[in-house]
Amino acid sequence: MASSHASLGKTLFWGGLTAILYGFLFHYSDEFLRLAHTTVDACVVQKGVGVDYYHNPIPELCAEKGGTVVKGTWWYVFAPIAMAFALSYTHGLFTGLFWDVLGLKAKK
Amino acid sequence: MEHGMELFNFIELDLTTSIILILVGFVGGMVSGFIGSGGAFVLTPAMMTLGAPGMVAVASNICHKFPKALVGAMKRHKYGQVDVKLGLVMGVFAEAGVLTGKHVMTGIKHSFGAVGTDLYVSVMFIITLAIVGTFVFRDYRKLKNMSEEEQENVELTRIAKWVQSVKIPGTMFYSHAAKSELSFLFLIPLGFATGFLASAIAVGGFIGVPAMIYLLGVPAIMASATELVIAFVMGLGGTIFYGLEGAVDIRMAMLILFGSLFGIQIGAIGTTYVKDYQVKFTMALIMLTVLFSRFFYIPGYLSKLGMIAPLTADTAQKLKWIGDGVLYLALFVGAFTVISALLKGMKEHREQQAVLARASAAD
């Protein structure tokens, strides 16, 4: 019984961390979108609530649409990579423990 | 379409779309855990069905996979199933393939827009799934008719025997999976093709795994385990290359990951309850269904690109609905097959245990 309590505790811990990371990702989803699209040069057009992103911006065309040309920042590429590593780690541990706690096991 | 400036938004993620992505990830993960590799071939088409451009679907798929591949490789390395050297050497050549393939994809995007990438990815899917699906189906038929012992002792193919016998000075290294010295020159086309395919549809294992088994003489379990090393290397590289083009949608990738990591355990555990040929049957069935679904989207893409006479809005909508329907059917079939195999296997196992317990109690 002691071991299953330990497992439940660990499961909740990693599940909690995973929830926090997902919460962070979706709370700042617009930011992540901006980082993704401005890894390259882009024309950013504010459209009411939403934003349109154009690749290979041409300054005149961009101005016509009322947008701004943003220069690409290559190291933004590490944002999704870091997120992917972090979530794979915490969520991987959580799901493993989750099924274990529920009793789903391989055939010996 | 303005020449030069390309509108390249990611899809809107409302609650429905998010839940669908999680469920799709779950089924993709189950299938992936069950058949060992390439479960992701349902993920790219599913994201495209939800409206993501082909290039973004592929990029986001690659992004969600590579950390999983690392974790998987580390786990299976503990069981001695991974040939790290072979994986890394093929990984390097695969990386070259990914980079080349990414150039092709970006070129298509630049000349034909997002819709062009939809068509390219779909065509690559159709060709790959047709070849691999048929091959796996024939393999399943062969295995089903073999006895248990024959299934254990499938011999090295003639090609593999020849490859292992070729010694080219200065290019040899020892592969503990193949239990032979191999010339890395053979790995160049194989690795490159794996990487190129991965950059087009986010699945490279379709070339990598069979190539290791049938051309290099690596046992199937070690081939699929070593493939995880290649997948990690390709996946990290692919994410960087596509990320530098602004094509990685981390939201989609992580929603899929959420479901996928739950599903993968079910699939992997399910394999311990079924025979090898049942796994192959599932694989072939899902592949051919996904392949079939892609056909319905092609006229729509061709029409948007102006390559055929424009379709009426009504026809285009109907075709898309049928395509969507067939894809969801493929996912449902996949989920149903894995879960029912698992439940049936667990039930039989429990009954066996009960019989054994009664027998020993009676003594």
PDB file of all heavy atoms in Angstrom, chain B residues 334-360:
ATOM      1  N   GLY B 334      -8.337   2.413 -36.072  1.00  0.00           N
ATOM      2  CA  GLY B 334      -7.072   2.248 -35.341  1.00  0.00           C
ATOM      3  C   GLY B 334      -7.313   2.097 -33.856  1.00  0.00           C
ATOM      4  O   GLY B 334      -6.833   1.153 -33.226  1.00  0.00           O
ATOM      5  N   ALA B 335      -8.091   3.038 -33.300  1.00  0.00           N
ATOM      6  CA  ALA B 335      -8.352   3.010 -31.867  1.00  0.00           C
ATOM      7  C   ALA B 335      -9.071   1.729 -31.478  1.00  0.00           C
ATOM      8  O   ALA B 335      -8.699   1.045 -30.511  1.00  0.00           O
ATOM      9  CB  ALA B 335      -9.211   4.213 -31.479  1.00  0.00           C
ATOM     10  N   PHE B 336     -10.095   1.375 -32.256  1.00  0.00           N
ATOM     11  CA  PHE B 336     -10.905   0.198 -31.956  1.00  0.00           C
ATOM     12  C   PHE B 336     -10.052  -1.069 -31.958  1.00  0.00           C
ATOM     13  O   PHE B 336     -10.141  -1.910 -31.058  1.00  0.00           O
ATOM     14  CB  PHE B 336     -12.036   0.092 -32.979  1.00  0.00           C
ATOM     15  CG  PHE B 336     -12.965  -1.060 -32.727  1.00  0.00           C
ATOM     16  CD1 PHE B 336     -13.915  -0.990 -31.727  1.00  0.00           C
ATOM     17  CD2 PHE B 336     -12.866  -2.230 -33.477  1.00  0.00           C
ATOM     18  CE1 PHE B 336     -14.763  -2.044 -31.475  1.00  0.00           C
ATOM     19  CE2 PHE B 336     -13.712  -3.298 -33.230  1.00  0.00           C
ATOM     20  CZ  PHE B 336     -14.672  -3.204 -32.232  1.00  0.00           C
ATOM     21  N   THR B 337      -9.208  -1.205 -32.990  1.00  0.00           N
ATOM     22  CA  THR B 337      -8.388  -2.412 -33.114  1.00  0.00           C
ATOM     23  C   THR B 337      -7.452  -2.574 -31.927  1.00  0.00           C
ATOM     24  O   THR B 337      -7.369  -3.650 -31.327  1.00  0.00           O
ATOM     25  CB  THR B 337      -7.521  -2.365 -34.393  1.00  0.00           C
ATOM     26  OG1 THR B 337      -8.326  -1.920 -35.465  1.00  0.00           O
ATOM     27  CG2 THR B 337      -6.946  -3.726 -34.696  1.00  0.00           C
ATOM     28  N   VAL B 338      -6.762  -1.478 -31.571  1.00  0.00           N
ATOM     29  CA  VAL B 338      -5.795  -1.584 -30.479  1.00  0.00           C
ATOM     30  C   VAL B 338      -6.497  -1.873 -29.158  1.00  0.00           C
ATOM     31  O   VAL B 338      -6.111  -2.777 -28.410  1.00  0.00           O
ATOM     32  CB  VAL B 338      -4.953  -0.291 -30.359  1.00  0.00           C
ATOM     33  CG1 VAL B 338      -4.050  -0.355 -29.155  1.00  0.00           C
ATOM     34  CG2 VAL B 338      -4.138  -0.086 -31.615  1.00  0.00           C
ATOM     35  N   ILE B 339      -7.559  -1.113 -28.869  1.00  0.00           N
ATOM     36  CA  ILE B 339      -8.232  -1.292 -27.571  1.00  0.00           C
ATOM     37  C   ILE B 339      -8.885  -2.667 -27.470  1.00  0.00           C
ATOM     38  O   ILE B 339      -8.772  -3.341 -26.440  1.00  0.00           O
ATOM     39  CB  ILE B 339      -9.283  -0.184 -27.343  1.00  0.00           C
ATOM     40  CG1 ILE B 339      -8.571   1.169 -27.238  1.00  0.00           C
ATOM     41  CG2 ILE B 339     -10.070  -0.448 -26.073  1.00  0.00           C
ATOM     42  CD1 ILE B 339      -9.491   2.328 -26.971  1.00  0.00           C
ATOM     43  N   SER B 340      -9.528  -3.119 -28.554  1.00  0.00           N
ATOM     44  CA  SER B 340     -10.182  -4.431 -28.458  1.00  0.00           C
ATOM     45  C   SER B 340      -9.152  -5.545 -28.357  1.00  0.00           C
ATOM     46  O   SER B 340      -9.347  -6.517 -27.627  1.00  0.00           O
ATOM     47  CB  SER B 340     -11.137  -4.667 -29.627  1.00  0.00           C
ATOM     48  OG  SER B 340     -10.437  -4.653 -30.830  1.00  0.00           O
ATOM     49  N   ALA B 341      -8.010  -5.398 -29.058  1.00  0.00           N
ATOM     50  CA  ALA B 341      -6.960  -6.413 -28.948  1.00  0.00           C
ATOM     51  C   ALA B 341      -6.456  -6.472 -27.519  1.00  0.00           C
ATOM     52  O   ALA B 341      -6.262  -7.550 -26.948  1.00  0.00           O
ATOM     53  CB  ALA B 341      -5.799  -6.091 -29.891  1.00  0.00           C
ATOM     54  N   LEU B 342      -6.275  -5.294 -26.936  1.00  0.00           N
ATOM     55  CA  LEU B 342      -5.780  -5.215 -25.562  1.00  0.00           C
ATOM     56  C   LEU B 342      -6.781  -5.833 -24.590  1.00  0.00           C
ATOM     57  O   LEU B 342      -6.418  -6.678 -23.757  1.00  0.00           O
ATOM     58  CB  LEU B 342      -5.526  -3.747 -25.196  1.00  0.00           C
ATOM     59  CG  LEU B 342      -5.035  -3.459 -23.779  1.00  0.00           C
ATOM     60  CD1 LEU B 342      -3.719  -4.148 -23.534  1.00  0.00           C
ATOM     61  CD2 LEU B 342      -4.890  -1.967 -23.579  1.00  0.00           C
ATOM     62  N   LEU B 343      -8.065  -5.445 -24.691  1.00  0.00           N
ATOM     63  CA  LEU B 343      -9.073  -5.952 -23.761  1.00  0.00           C
ATOM     64  C   LEU B 343      -9.222  -7.459 -23.897  1.00  0.00           C
ATOM     65  O   LEU B 343      -9.286  -8.191 -22.912  1.00  0.00           O
ATOM     66  CB  LEU B 343     -10.420  -5.265 -24.008  1.00  0.00           C
ATOM     67  CG  LEU B 343     -10.468  -3.784 -23.606  1.00  0.00           C
ATOM     68  CD1 LEU B 343     -11.818  -3.175 -23.960  1.00  0.00           C
ATOM     69  CD2 LEU B 343     -10.201  -3.626 -22.122  1.00  0.00           C
ATOM     70  N   LYS B 344      -9.262  -7.938 -25.147  1.00  0.00           N
ATOM     71  CA  LYS B 344      -9.426  -9.373 -25.389  1.00  0.00           C
ATOM     72  C   LYS B 344      -8.236 -10.128 -24.798  1.00  0.00           C
ATOM     73  O   LYS B 344      -8.400 -11.122 -24.097  1.00  0.00           O
ATOM     74  CB  LYS B 344      -9.498  -9.618 -26.902  1.00  0.00           C
ATOM     75  CG  LYS B 344      -9.761 -11.045 -27.293  1.00  0.00           C
ATOM     76  CD  LYS B 344     -10.413 -11.080 -28.697  1.00  0.00           C
ATOM     77  CE  LYS B 344     -10.353 -12.484 -29.264  1.00  0.00           C
ATOM     78  NZ  LYS B 344      -9.153 -12.810 -29.992  1.00  0.00           N
ATOM     79  N   GLY B 345      -7.039  -9.594 -25.078  1.00  0.00           N
ATOM     80  CA  GLY B 345      -5.822 -10.243 -24.578  1.00  0.00           C
ATOM     81  C   GLY B 345      -5.793 -10.279 -23.068  1.00  0.00           C
ATOM     82  O   GLY B 345      -5.452 -11.294 -22.459  1.00  0.00           O
ATOM     83  N   MET B 346      -6.182  -9.169 -22.441  1.00  0.00           N
ATOM     84  CA  MET B 346      -6.169  -9.109 -20.973  1.00  0.00           C
ATOM     85  C   MET B 346      -7.182 -10.087 -20.394  1.00  0.00           C
ATOM     86  O   MET B 346      -6.923 -10.756 -19.401  1.00  0.00           O
ATOM     87  CB  MET B 346      -6.472  -7.689 -20.488  1.00  0.00           C
ATOM     88  CG  MET B 346      -5.278  -6.762 -20.592  1.00  0.00           C
ATOM     89  SD  MET B 346      -5.671  -5.041 -20.296  1.00  0.00           S
ATOM     90  CE  MET B 346      -5.789  -5.011 -18.539  1.00  0.00           C
ATOM     91  N   LYS B 347      -8.364 -10.180 -21.041  1.00  0.00           N
ATOM     92  CA  LYS B 347      -9.421 -11.086 -20.555  1.00  0.00           C
ATOM     93  C   LYS B 347      -8.930 -12.532 -20.636  1.00  0.00           C
ATOM     94  O   LYS B 347      -9.036 -13.286 -19.675  1.00  0.00           O
ATOM     95  CB  LYS B 347     -10.675 -10.898 -21.408  1.00  0.00           C
ATOM     96  CG  LYS B 347     -11.849 -11.759 -21.007  1.00  0.00           C
ATOM     97  CD  LYS B 347     -13.168 -11.160 -21.545  1.00  0.00           C
ATOM     98  CE  LYS B 347     -14.259 -12.214 -21.557  1.00  0.00           C
ATOM     99  NZ  LYS B 347     -14.292 -13.005 -22.791  1.00  0.00           N
ATOM    100  N   GLU B 348      -8.348 -12.911 -21.802  1.00  0.00           N
ATOM    101  CA  GLU B 348      -7.850 -14.280 -21.955  1.00  0.00           C
ATOM    102  C   GLU B 348      -6.780 -14.587 -20.924  1.00  0.00           C
ATOM    103  O   GLU B 348      -6.722 -15.666 -20.350  1.00  0.00           O
ATOM    104  CB  GLU B 348      -7.266 -14.477 -23.363  1.00  0.00           C
ATOM    105  CG  GLU B 348      -8.310 -14.681 -24.419  1.00  0.00           C
ATOM    106  CD  GLU B 348      -7.702 -14.649 -25.821  1.00  0.00           C
ATOM    107  OE1 GLU B 348      -6.472 -14.506 -25.935  1.00  0.00           O
ATOM    108  OE2 GLU B 348      -8.472 -14.757 -26.791  1.00  0.00           O
ATOM    109  N   HIS B 349      -5.908 -13.596 -20.706  1.00  0.00           N
ATOM    110  CA  HIS B 349      -4.816 -13.769 -19.749  1.00  0.00           C
ATOM    111  C   HIS B 349      -5.364 -14.016 -18.360  1.00  0.00           C
ATOM    112  O   HIS B 349      -4.899 -14.908 -17.635  1.00  0.00           O
ATOM    113  CB  HIS B 349      -3.935 -12.508 -19.779  1.00  0.00           C
ATOM    114  CG  HIS B 349      -2.715 -12.596 -18.915  1.00  0.00           C
ATOM    115  ND1 HIS B 349      -1.748 -13.568 -19.093  1.00  0.00           N
ATOM    116  CD2 HIS B 349      -2.304 -11.854 -17.869  1.00  0.00           C
ATOM    117  CE1 HIS B 349      -0.796 -13.404 -18.209  1.00  0.00           C
ATOM    118  NE2 HIS B 349      -1.108 -12.371 -17.445  1.00  0.00           N
ATOM    119  N   ARG B 350      -6.406 -13.211 -17.994  1.00  0.00           N
ATOM    120  CA  ARG B 350      -6.997 -13.370 -16.659  1.00  0.00           C
ATOM    121  C   ARG B 350      -7.632 -14.751 -16.534  1.00  0.00           C
ATOM    122  O   ARG B 350      -7.515 -15.403 -15.500  1.00  0.00           O
ATOM    123  CB  ARG B 350      -8.061 -12.294 -16.421  1.00  0.00           C
ATOM    124  CG  ARG B 350      -7.542 -11.091 -15.652  1.00  0.00           C
ATOM    125  CD  ARG B 350      -8.660 -10.322 -15.009  1.00  0.00           C
ATOM    126  NE  ARG B 350      -9.622  -9.844 -15.978  1.00  0.00           N
ATOM    127  CZ  ARG B 350      -9.590  -8.628 -16.525  1.00  0.00           C
ATOM    128  NH1 ARG B 350      -8.657  -7.776 -16.181  1.00  0.00           N
ATOM    129  NH2 ARG B 350     -10.490  -8.269 -17.419  1.00  0.00           N
ATOM    130  N   GLU B 351      -8.324 -15.205 -17.599  1.00  0.00           N
ATOM    131  CA  GLU B 351      -8.961 -16.519 -17.556  1.00  0.00           C
ATOM    132  C   GLU B 351      -7.925 -17.617 -17.410  1.00  0.00           C
ATOM    133  O   GLU B 351      -8.089 -18.550 -16.630  1.00  0.00           O
ATOM    134  CB  GLU B 351      -9.802 -16.748 -18.824  1.00  0.00           C
ATOM    135  CG  GLU B 351     -11.119 -16.005 -18.789  1.00  0.00           C
ATOM    136  CD  GLU B 351     -11.790 -15.975 -20.161  1.00  0.00           C
ATOM    137  OE1 GLU B 351     -11.257 -16.609 -21.089  1.00  0.00           O
ATOM    138  OE2 GLU B 351     -12.827 -15.325 -20.277  1.00  0.00           O
ATOM    139  N   GLN B 352      -6.817 -17.453 -18.169  1.00  0.00           N
ATOM    140  CA  GLN B 352      -5.730 -18.435 -18.067  1.00  0.00           C
ATOM    141  C   GLN B 352      -5.224 -18.511 -16.638  1.00  0.00           C
ATOM    142  O   GLN B 352      -5.017 -19.598 -16.095  1.00  0.00           O
ATOM    143  CB  GLN B 352      -4.559 -18.029 -18.962  1.00  0.00           C
ATOM    144  CG  GLN B 352      -4.518 -18.710 -20.280  1.00  0.00           C
ATOM    145  CD  GLN B 352      -3.349 -18.199 -21.110  1.00  0.00           C
ATOM    146  OE1 GLN B 352      -2.442 -17.549 -20.596  1.00  0.00           O
ATOM    147  NE2 GLN B 352      -3.368 -18.485 -22.378  1.00  0.00           N
ATOM    148  N   GLN B 353      -4.999 -17.336 -16.057  1.00  0.00           N
ATOM    149  CA  GLN B 353      -4.487 -17.289 -14.686  1.00  0.00           C
ATOM    150  C   GLN B 353      -5.469 -17.957 -13.736  1.00  0.00           C
ATOM    151  O   GLN B 353      -5.079 -18.681 -12.819  1.00  0.00           O
ATOM    152  CB  GLN B 353      -4.259 -15.831 -14.223  1.00  0.00           C
ATOM    153  CG  GLN B 353      -3.301 -15.043 -15.084  1.00  0.00           C
ATOM    154  CD  GLN B 353      -1.870 -15.537 -14.973  1.00  0.00           C
ATOM    155  OE1 GLN B 353      -1.495 -16.548 -15.554  1.00  0.00           O
ATOM    156  NE2 GLN B 353      -1.080 -14.844 -14.219  1.00  0.00           N
ATOM    157  N   ALA B 354      -6.784 -17.735 -13.965  1.00  0.00           N
ATOM    158  CA  ALA B 354      -7.799 -18.321 -13.091  1.00  0.00           C
ATOM    159  C   ALA B 354      -7.761 -19.842 -13.198  1.00  0.00           C
ATOM    160  O   ALA B 354      -7.838 -20.554 -12.186  1.00  0.00           O
ATOM    161  CB  ALA B 354      -9.175 -17.787 -13.467  1.00  0.00           C
ATOM    162  N   VAL B 355      -7.649 -20.340 -14.435  1.00  0.00           N
ATOM    163  CA  VAL B 355      -7.593 -21.791 -14.639  1.00  0.00           C
ATOM    164  C   VAL B 355      -6.386 -22.376 -13.922  1.00  0.00           C
ATOM    165  O   VAL B 355      -6.467 -23.396 -13.224  1.00  0.00           O
ATOM    166  CB  VAL B 355      -7.531 -22.127 -16.157  1.00  0.00           C
ATOM    167  CG1 VAL B 355      -7.133 -23.574 -16.363  1.00  0.00           C
ATOM    168  CG2 VAL B 355      -8.877 -21.836 -16.800  1.00  0.00           C
ATOM    169  N   LEU B 356      -5.227 -21.721 -14.092  1.00  0.00           N
ATOM    170  CA  LEU B 356      -3.999 -22.200 -13.451  1.00  0.00           C
ATOM    171  C   LEU B 356      -4.151 -22.200 -11.927  1.00  0.00           C
ATOM    172  O   LEU B 356      -3.738 -23.140 -11.252  1.00  0.00           O
ATOM    173  CB  LEU B 356      -2.802 -21.304 -13.834  1.00  0.00           C
ATOM    174  CG  LEU B 356      -2.296 -21.468 -15.257  1.00  0.00           C
ATOM    175  CD1 LEU B 356      -1.210 -20.425 -15.550  1.00  0.00           C
ATOM    176  CD2 LEU B 356      -1.725 -22.862 -15.473  1.00  0.00           C
ATOM    177  N   ALA B 357      -4.783 -21.140 -11.410  1.00  0.00           N
ATOM    178  CA  ALA B 357      -4.954 -21.024  -9.953  1.00  0.00           C
ATOM    179  C   ALA B 357      -5.842 -22.144  -9.441  1.00  0.00           C
ATOM    180  O   ALA B 357      -5.552 -22.787  -8.435  1.00  0.00           O
ATOM    181  CB  ALA B 357      -5.540 -19.657  -9.617  1.00  0.00           C
ATOM    182  N   ARG B 358      -6.944 -22.412 -10.206  1.00  0.00           N
ATOM    183  CA  ARG B 358      -7.860 -23.492  -9.784  1.00  0.00           C
ATOM    184  C   ARG B 358      -7.134 -24.834  -9.818  1.00  0.00           C
ATOM    185  O   ARG B 358      -7.285 -25.642  -8.922  1.00  0.00           O
ATOM    186  CB  ARG B 358      -9.076 -23.544 -10.713  1.00  0.00           C
ATOM    187  CG  ARG B 358     -10.158 -22.531 -10.326  1.00  0.00           C
ATOM    188  CD  ARG B 358     -11.497 -22.948 -10.881  1.00  0.00           C
ATOM    189  NE  ARG B 358     -11.522 -22.920 -12.333  1.00  0.00           N
ATOM    190  CZ  ARG B 358     -11.816 -21.841 -13.061  1.00  0.00           C
ATOM    191  NH1 ARG B 358     -12.113 -20.716 -12.466  1.00  0.00           N
ATOM    192  NH2 ARG B 358     -11.820 -21.893 -14.381  1.00  0.00           N
ATOM    193  N   ALA B 359      -6.332 -25.041 -10.894  1.00  0.00           N
ATOM    194  CA  ALA B 359      -5.629 -26.319 -11.053  1.00  0.00           C
ATOM    195  C   ALA B 359      -4.658 -26.538  -9.896  1.00  0.00           C
ATOM    196  O   ALA B 359      -4.594 -27.630  -9.320  1.00  0.00           O
ATOM    197  CB  ALA B 359      -4.877 -26.345 -12.389  1.00  0.00           C
ATOM    198  N   SER B 360      -3.913 -25.498  -9.531  1.00  0.00           N
ATOM    199  CA  SER B 360      -2.933 -25.694  -8.444  1.00  0.00           C
ATOM    200  C   SER B 360      -3.633 -25.785  -7.100  1.00  0.00           C
ATOM    201  O   SER B 360      -3.147 -26.459  -6.189  1.00  0.00           O
ATOM    202  CB  SER B 360      -1.881 -24.574  -8.441  1.00  0.00           C
ATOM    203  OG  SER B 360      -2.498 -23.333  -8.325  1.00  0.00           O
TER     204      SER B 360
END
